[in-house]
Amino acid sequence: MGETFQYWRREIETMPRAELLALQLEKLKMAVGWALRTPFYAERLPRAGINSADDIKTLADLRRIPFTTKQDLRGAFPYGFLGVPREDVVRLHASSGTTGTPTTIYFNRADLSRWSGYVARSIYGTGCTKNDVFQNMITYGLFTGGLGFHAGGEEVGMLVIPSGAGNTARQFRFMQDFGTTVVHATPSFLLHVESIMRAEGVSRESLRLRKAFAGAEPYSEDTRRRIEKLLNIDVYNSYGLSEMNGPGVAFECQAKDGLHLWEDGYIGEIINPDTLDPLDGGESGELVLTCLCREATPILRYRTRDLSGFYTEPCSCGRTHRRLRRITARTDDMLIINGVNLFPSQIEEVIMSMREAGNNYLIVVEKEGMLDRLTVKTEIQAEFFTDDTRPLNALKEKIRKTLQASITINPRVELHESGSLPVSEGKARRVQDLRPKDV
Ligand code: DLL
């Protein structure tokens, strides 16, 4: 490729593995020390025979620490995971908490500075510099995507426009007025940008856009390519979660071949989600993360429910931090349709690989008598939409067959005009499961 890679902290990003592991051990000890100051771990860790940081002697001792789950975080709401005096806390973020009690993460000043360092490193690694104008088109507020990227962008020295999500007409005005070169948004929103541009009469040539960071929800490689083609930009996958600060946990570099997990800030493990056994050979499984960089709310061995795996070969960019495979599903995303397991990402893969299919889709599951009924509603590209029902029926049948071949379930397919299915301002809601609960 002849590409020149740029590093924010070269000595850390390309650190020899042995040194990186030694650094992880040092930081793990520190994180265990921090954790023991929280009410939750002060009780949990001694039960596992860990009474002080000195009980961690090697990285293998990590496995003596019990897993932490979302339920643990909820159960200890609001302050059970707080490890510093309340007056030293300067910020909190909370998970979207669609059901039940939210989970809250607290930061002291040093935590915020460490976090923005990881985001800055991620942004810089995609080739951005202080010459860029960065429009952060994602929700600000309790969600970590807004302020997280904002701080990282400022640290790189970019001009950051805190435009937030939504209000698309204004977004384009900002892009034109300030010469925006980089944007951050969810992939589902980015898929819509081009059609909104057309509707608003904004020409691609009037924009200086060259890159986007897309994350906070799963998307396929075909979706990435589609956005890149639609907008003629480079799209970089960005992964994170509020329990691990937010964005800046794992990020693609310019090689765009897996997401580097910043292993001086986070320890990643892959486990079998059913047996909880470690999977050390590059297999896919549930990602478990330990945060090494947050004192106010230390979280150890957190079960993310995200499915991924590590690449075993090194990256062409020279970074030594291992790469995660694109996260396409969560263990709790799985639908069971008449006994067959289905991840929504399997449907996305089919839809986004078909050139006739549009940029938005919706999955509906209902009960019909004793059976589950799967309907895939998909938009189709404007050029394939006609008043003539014959070609439309043929296309519907083609999509149905392609889906069935891939998911082994026979779905009902509905075709919708481009731009007619609902778009969410935050994370996309792709699945409507209308089946009665507990049946
Ligand atoms: O979504 C943090 C974030 C903000 C990441 C902006 C990237 C960009 P939460 O709201 O806590 O935090 O949601 C975390 O979103 O466990 C994954 O299931 C999913 N997720 C995040 N990034 C990706 C990604 C933020 N790149 C949850 N690919 C995680 C797939 C992702 N899923």
Side-chain angles (χ1 to χ4, degrees):
M1 270 194 290
E3 202 151 16
T4 50
F5 297 106
Q6 63 181 39
Y7 312 95
W8 183 243
R9 294 279 176 267
R10 180 190 285 266
E11 68 294 354
I12 293 176
E13 292 172 53
T14 61
M15 189 178 251
R17 285 296 299 172
E19 281 174 41
L20 186 53
L21 296 178
L23 181 63
Q24 273 193 332
L25 176 60
E26 277 313 298
K27 291 194 172 184
L28 176 61
K29 285 177 174 218
M30 194 172 63
V32 166
W34 289 341
L36 282 163
R37 293 194 221 132
T38 69
F40 178 84
Y41 287 114
E43 203 202 312
R44 173 77 61 102
L45 293 182
R47 277 199 267 135
I50 300 165
N51 296 291
S52 86
D54 291 335
D55 288 325
I56 302 295
K57 298 200 163 38
T58 69
L59 275 181
D61 287 331
L62 177 69
R63 291 193 179 157
R64 292 173 49 203
I65 301 174
F67 294 114
T68 301
T69 63
K70 189 92 176 170
Q71 286 71 22
D72 291 328
L73 292 173
R74 288 211 173 107
F77 181 82
Y79 287 126
F81 276 82
L82 186 62
V84 298
R86 218 299 289 129
E87 61 272 22
D88 292 342
V89 175
V90 297
R91 166 108 62 89
L92 68 78
H93 280 283
S95 75
S96 30
T98 39
T99 51
T101 327
T103 54
T104 321
I105 305 298
Y106 304 94
F107 299 80
N108 65 19
R109 246 175 238 292
D111 295 336
L112 285 180
S113 139
R114 281 185 284 258
W115 176 24
S116 64
Y118 290 109
V119 181
R121 185 195 292 182
S122 307
I123 291 175
Y124 197 75
T126 67
C128 290
T129 66
K130 62 190 292 232
N131 297 323
D132 279 293
V133 178
F134 172 47
Q135 194 162 321
N136 198 13
M137 307 197 296
I138 210 150
T139 312
Y140 276 67
L142 291 175
F143 176 58
T144 53
L147 286 171
F149 264 88
H150 186 103
E154 284 185 350
E155 192 159 330
V156 169
M158 306 195 288
L159 165 55
V160 183
I161 309 172
S163 62
N167 202 341
T168 33
R170 203 176 55 151
Q171 300 281 8
F172 293 121
R173 219 166 39 243
F174 286 161
M175 286 184 202
Q176 288 173 321
D177 288 347
F178 305 117
T180 301
T181 54
V182 190
V183 292
H184 171 217
T186 56
S188 50
F189 181 76
L190 287 172
L191 276 170
H192 291 281
V193 167
E194 195 263 349
S195 58
I196 306 166
M197 265 167 69
R198 255 187 291 135
E200 299 276 335
V202 177
S203 75
R204 177 64 187 86
E205 294 67 45
S206 69
L207 305 179
R208 297 241 198 103
L209 214 54
R210 58 184 191 103
K211 282 186 205 307
F213 312 127
E217 62 186 16
Y219 61 115
S220 66
E221 191 59 46
D222 277 322
T223 303
R224 181 230 296 270
R225 280 198 216 107
R226 216 176 243 238
I227 302 169
E228 292 192 325
K229 206 162 147 230
L230 279 169
L231 295 173
N232 191 21
I233 54 172
D234 272 324
V235 174
Y236 292 91
N237 195 352
S238 136
Y239 169 78
L241 57 162
S242 25
E243 293 81 358
M244 295 291 129
N245 295 328
V249 175
F251 222 94
E252 282 181 331
C253 65
Q254 283 167 297
K256 284 197 210 159
D257 185 19
L259 298 93
H260 291 281
L261 173 72
W262 299 129
E263 293 186 282
D264 57 323
Y266 306 91
I267 301 182
E269 303 168 77
I270 302 288
I271 60 164
N272 175 322
D274 301 319
T275 63
L276 308 186
D277 289 335
L279 297 172
D280 293 330
E283 306 96 315
S284 280
E286 180 178 347
L287 176 64
V288 171
L289 290 170
T290 294
C291 190
L292 303 177
C293 55
R294 197 181 49 229
E295 184 177 9
T297 314
I299 298 186
L300 310 174
R301 300 196 87 199
Y302 182 65
R303 290 190 58 186
T304 65
R305 304 191 219 179
D306 291 322
L307 293 170
S308 185
F310 284 107
Y311 285 106
T312 44
E313 336 69 68
C315 183
S316 60
C317 75
R319 288 180 179 81
T320 48
H321 299 236
R322 286 180 301 165
R323 288 165 301 149
L324 287 169
R325 284 196 280 275
R326 179 179 283 282
I327 292 107
T328 50
R330 293 174 56 82
T331 51
D332 48 4
D333 257 359
M334 195 178 75
L335 295 163
I336 302 179
I337 315 263
N338 298 322
V340 179
N341 298 348
L342 174 71
F343 283 108
S345 56
Q346 293 174 268
I347 295 190
E348 164 152 342
E349 265 162 37
V350 172
I351 299 285
M352 291 297 158
S353 68
M354 296 186 74
R355 68 187 186 94
E356 300 94 337
N359 296 329
N360 201 358
Y361 66 94
L362 193 63
I363 299 165
V364 182
V365 192
E366 293 154 296
K367 203 87 191 163
E368 261 182 19
M370 297 296 286
L371 291 179
D372 299 323
R373 170 48 91 177
L374 171 71
T375 306
V376 177
K377 302 183 177 188
T378 175
E379 290 184 2
I380 58 170
Q381 300 288 2
E383 71 224 68
F384 295 99
F385 210 85
T386 82
D387 288 336
D388 186 352
T389 51
R390 253 176 316 162
L392 279 186
N393 280 338
L395 177 56
K396 191 155 68 172
E397 186 54 16
K398 178 174 171 191
I399 296 177
R400 189 195 63 74
K401 275 197 182 139
T402 317
L403 277 168
Q404 189 178 11
S406 158
I407 64 179
T408 71
I409 297 168
N410 183 12
R412 197 178 275 165
V413 171
E414 272 182 25
L415 303 186
H416 291 256
E417 206 169 343
S418 177
S420 63
L421 289 176
V423 186
S424 157
E425 250 189 28
K427 300 183 189 231
R429 286 186 204 93
R430 303 282 199 200
V431 180
Q432 286 179 351
D433 194 339
L434 306 174
R435 291 174 292 187
K437 299 275 172 287
D438 307 311
V439 174

